[in-house]
Amino acid sequence: MASKGLFISFEGSEGCGKSTQIERLSIRFRDSGREVVTLREPGGCPLGEKIRDLLKFDPAGAGMTAEAELLLFAASRAQLVREVIRPALERGAIVLCDRFLDSTTVYQGVARAIAPESVAFVNAFATGGTLPEVTLLLDLDAAEGRRRAACRKGPADRMEQEREEFYEAVRRGYLELAAAESSRIAVIDASGNVDEVGAAIAVTLSERLKGEFHGLL
Ligand code: TMP
């Protein structure tokens, strides 16, 4: 049975401005009277937040293999889908998620070079078929994203300590994925200021949202 809600995911590399845009969009949707659930991956539920800490900050993660990393991201997602996302969609809520399965396809599949069929299998198992209606890819030059990310917070976490090539592979991987799945993934130029990017997102969503969600923005 189709869910009553709306699921939108945001993707992009470090520093692309996802969290700011999610915040802005959640206000606009709430103003239109809808329930909005904002989530992040990894995380978004108690177990997921523990896994997030393991993946990003816990010293035990220092020697983490790419395979273990893939499975931990998937474990967080499997829990979030069943504990939070599906119930929210069943209630008719709008779910805005900061990263979802495309992060795994790109970071673990492309940048860490795990075989695409293994990543696809794990993604399918974790999501159990729950997919966003629309995914907004905030595209930004990798070096610029790193500069922005470095300005806004403290010490880099484990995922932010890779070489520049890693983040270039992430950007390339995202753009290739968006080209292959253009009916779901929309590319947004994230090089402008907050208002410009917000306006581009609103235009894209007004073109792509259907049914009762059409015209909500
Ligand atoms: P963030 O919440 O600050 O974006 O941190 C999440 C980090 O984890 C970021 O570096 C991207 C990475 N990541 C993956 O490598 N694979 C995934 O499936 C997800 C959700 C995130």
Side-chain angles (χ1 to χ4, degrees):
M1 192 182 76
S3 75
K4 293 179 282 184
L6 172 67
F7 183 12
I8 301 174
S9 65
F10 287 71
E11 295 282 352
S13 40
E14 283 70 8
C16 70
K18 288 183 277 81
S19 37
T20 305
Q21 295 301 333
I22 289 172
E23 179 63 28
R24 284 170 60 109
L25 196 58
S26 70
I27 292 168
R28 287 191 68 172
F29 279 134
R30 278 193 190 108
D31 284 348
S32 69
R34 304 292 305 215
E35 181 195 358
V36 180
V37 176
T38 58
L39 301 168
R40 66 176 180 182
E41 274 215 357
C45 59
L47 179 60
E49 291 294 326
K50 286 268 186 210
I51 296 172
R52 179 182 182 87
D53 187 56
L54 272 178
L55 280 160
K56 285 173 68 110
F57 302 112
D58 196 305
M64 191 180 297
T65 64
E67 291 79 2
E69 185 181 278
L70 167 70
L71 293 169
L72 284 172
F73 280 116
S76 173
R77 182 165 310 130
Q79 187 70 25
L80 185 68
V81 162
R82 291 156 183 85
E83 184 176 326
V84 183
I85 295 178
R86 285 183 189 163
L89 293 174
E90 283 308 312
R91 289 196 305 275
I94 296 176
V95 175
L96 304 178
C97 198
D98 187 341
R99 302 189 178 282
F100 199 61
L101 84 167
D102 303 310
S103 283
T104 307
T105 303
V106 169
Y107 281 78
Q108 281 64 54
V110 179
R112 296 263 195 251
I114 297 180
E117 55 277 13
S118 302
V119 175
F121 177 82
V122 170
N123 268 344
F125 183 66
T127 62
T130 296
L131 288 176
E133 272 89 333
V134 180
T135 296
L136 299 166
L137 168 58
L138 273 54
D139 176 54
L140 186 63
D141 171 69
E144 172 61 13
R146 306 278 292 146
R147 265 193 299 279
R148 289 190 191 179
C151 286
R152 69 156 199 246
K153 49 184 184 183
D157 63 48
R158 189 184 64 85
M159 295 300 296
E160 291 168 334
Q161 289 171 5
E162 295 296 333
R163 291 182 313 162
E164 211 52 50
E165 296 78 38
F166 182 88
Y167 304 100
E168 277 155 17
V170 165
R171 186 189 190 196
R172 214 174 39 250
Y174 267 132
L175 290 174
E176 283 171 12
L177 184 62
E181 295 197 37
S182 58
S183 60
R184 175 173 62 85
I185 307 177
V187 182
I188 305 288
D189 177 0
S191 64
N193 64 35
V194 170
D195 288 333
E196 288 164 344
V197 178
I201 287 174
V203 168
T204 297
L205 288 179
S206 53
E207 285 163 5
R208 292 193 174 222
L209 295 185
K210 301 192 179 67
E212 63 176 298
F213 299 103
H214 185 73
L216 213 54
L217 287 176

